[in-house]
Amino acid sequence: ESRDIRSFYLAPHDQKPLPPFLPGQYLTFQLTINAKPVVRCYSLSESPNHPDYYRVTIKRIPAPKDMAGIPPGLVSNYFHDHLAEGDILDVKAPTGHFTLDMTTQTPVVLIAGGVGITPLLCMVNTAIDAGSRREIWLFYGVRNRIEQIMKEHLEQVAREHPNVRLQVCYSDPGPEDLKGQDYHHGERVTVALLKRALPSSNYQFFICGPPPMMDQLIRDLKGWGVPEKDIVIEAFGPTTVKRVAPAIEGGAAARRTDVTIEVTFAKSGKTVRWNGEVGSLLDFAEKNGISINFGCRAGNCGTCLTAIKEGEVDYLVEQGAKPETGSCLACIAIPRTNVVLDA
């Protein structure tokens, strides 16, 4: 789809009907790489109106240039370099709360940064497949044409469906990138741009992109008077969890520094005083050398499910995968009381 991005089409090997999904949801993959199980979540990038396949669009994650010793993305590189046609993958049914309601005609603004366009692309494709005439603005930010995903497809959608208003932003246009032909705005996607382009702020805003981009947009949209209920984000990874954590009630004691709470890891034989600044119980375990399996780190996939032997927890964000009674999602949980975890 671009220099470092490929789409993968998944068909049911038993030829049975695929579970349906809502536009914006994701798949959870469990793979075995280097003899170890690994879990990752990837958004569906095609509409649900193709019952014979799912599509995910995955960016190869290189090793960070400014952080020595950090390896490249394990799963993304596995998909790009080792996955072959005909291979069988273990995949959970689609899930997720970042979805477009197709039963209404509410005007929406979709804002994507880089590969974050994948769930929003699914939303756009679903709307046009359904013949919807709802007003849809798609603001898509990338550095330049080299990084733009599905350029021709999006331009065709905009030409053939006047209700879909495509606004492509290049933050660093190349010498051959033509404004007005390849892109619309030579800048990043900001609320200042939205104010210039949109007739008002009376939209529902869906945002998926790099955490710094989402953080700034969310703050500035609220400053523009957009109600919080009309700002919908896709949360994958600890950064997005930490962003919304202060707005979630509950667990106040666990975030205070004047309250002593102890976390006991029963299998590891460690009892440690909780530090409310560290993040989640998963972050806390890792800081203390204790391994807990994880996938999305945002409470969606359920991989980090950990039994609670004693005590109670609160959650930083809404749980996408509802935990069983007597257990918690360690990646988004914090202790309410002293807790004993089966870890």
Side-chain angles (χ1 to χ4, degrees):
E1 308 293 0
S2 71
R3 181 176 56 188
D4 296 317
I5 296 174
R6 291 182 178 178
S7 286
F8 299 84
Y9 292 78
L10 313 173
H13 72 89
D14 58 7
Q15 299 183 348
K16 294 181 180 179
L18 287 168
F21 65 93
L22 300 174
Q25 291 189 313
Y26 61 86
L27 295 176
T28 303
F29 293 81
Q30 179 168 301
L31 305 99
T32 300
I33 303 176
N34 300 328
K36 294 182 179 180
V38 184
V39 174
R40 291 292 186 274
C41 301
Y42 291 108
S43 296
L44 289 147
S45 62
E46 182 56 287
S47 82
N49 300 313
H50 301 275
D52 54 335
Y53 68 84
Y54 293 142
R55 185 180 73 186
V56 291
T57 302
I58 298 174
K59 179 179 180 179
R60 178 198 297 275
I61 305 299
K65 295 180 180 178
D66 55 347
M67 299 177 68
I70 303 297
L74 179 65
V75 177
S76 66
N77 282 272
Y78 177 85
F79 267 84
H80 278 252
D81 296 334
H82 301 291
L83 202 62
E85 183 175 351
D87 285 353
I88 295 177
L89 298 175
D90 290 329
V91 186
K92 287 185 179 180
T95 189
H97 299 293
F98 185 73
T99 60
L100 180 66
D101 185 355
M102 293 298 297
T103 66
T104 74
Q105 293 297 309
T106 305
V108 294
V109 175
L110 312 179
I111 305 175
V115 76
I117 196 173
T118 53
L120 305 179
L121 183 63
C122 178
M123 294 178 184
V124 170
N125 288 351
T126 303
I128 63 175
D129 284 352
S132 172
R133 295 187 178 181
R134 77 194 299 173
E135 184 181 350
I136 299 174
W137 290 77
L138 174 58
F139 289 83
Y140 178 28
V142 291
R143 277 198 282 262
N144 46 51
R145 180 173 182 166
I146 293 174
E147 296 188 357
Q148 189 172 349
I149 303 170
M150 300 188 187
K151 182 177 188 294
E152 292 77 13
H153 171 72
L154 288 172
E155 290 173 348
Q156 181 179 355
V157 167
R159 283 195 307 270
E160 298 178 357
H161 302 274
N163 59 307
V164 179
R165 303 177 185 184
L166 178 65
Q167 302 288 304
V168 177
C169 299
Y170 285 3
S171 62
D172 185 20
E176 298 181 358
D177 296 332
L178 301 177
K179 188 174 183 179
Q181 179 175 318
D182 295 311
Y183 65 101
H184 304 88
H185 309 282
E187 58 188 289
R188 299 180 188 276
V189 183
T190 63
V191 170
L193 171 60
L194 300 182
K195 289 179 178 179
R196 298 199 309 268
L198 299 173
S200 74
S201 62
N202 296 323
Y203 294 85
Q204 189 174 29
F205 294 83
F206 291 79
I207 310 172
C208 187
M213 170 189 174
M214 294 202 296
D215 287 349
Q216 188 66 53
L217 284 168
I218 291 162
R219 284 195 298 269
D220 292 347
L221 284 172
K222 290 178 179 178
W224 194 18
V226 179
E228 190 165 352
K229 67 179 179 62
D230 289 331
I231 303 174
V232 188
I233 67 166
E234 178 61 295
F236 282 114
T239 305
T240 46
V241 170
K242 290 176 182 176
R243 184 201 66 76
V244 297
I248 303 299
E249 295 182 359
R255 284 192 286 272
R256 285 168 50 189
T257 57
D258 60 335
V259 176
T260 300
I261 291 178
E262 291 186 339
V263 179
T264 298
F265 299 97
K267 288 182 180 178
S268 304
K270 285 187 177 182
T271 298
V272 190
R273 180 175 176 175
W274 168 253
N275 177 358
E277 302 299 320
V278 77
S280 68
L281 282 168
L282 173 61
D283 298 324
F284 189 64
E286 291 177 337
K287 185 176 181 180
N288 288 282
I290 295 161
S291 178
I292 295 177
N293 290 333
F294 67 88
C296 67
R297 299 188 77 108
N300 290 322
C301 69
T303 304
C304 66
L305 189 71
T306 304
I308 303 173
K309 300 173 77 70
E310 295 179 20
E312 298 178 337
V313 301
D314 284 309
Y315 287 99
L316 296 170
V317 295
E318 183 181 0
Q319 310 99 295
K322 298 298 181 182
E324 302 168 1
T325 302
S327 61
C328 70
L329 299 173
C331 74
I332 58 169
I334 58 175
R336 178 187 298 175
T337 64
N338 291 342
V339 294
V340 179
L341 300 179
D342 190 25

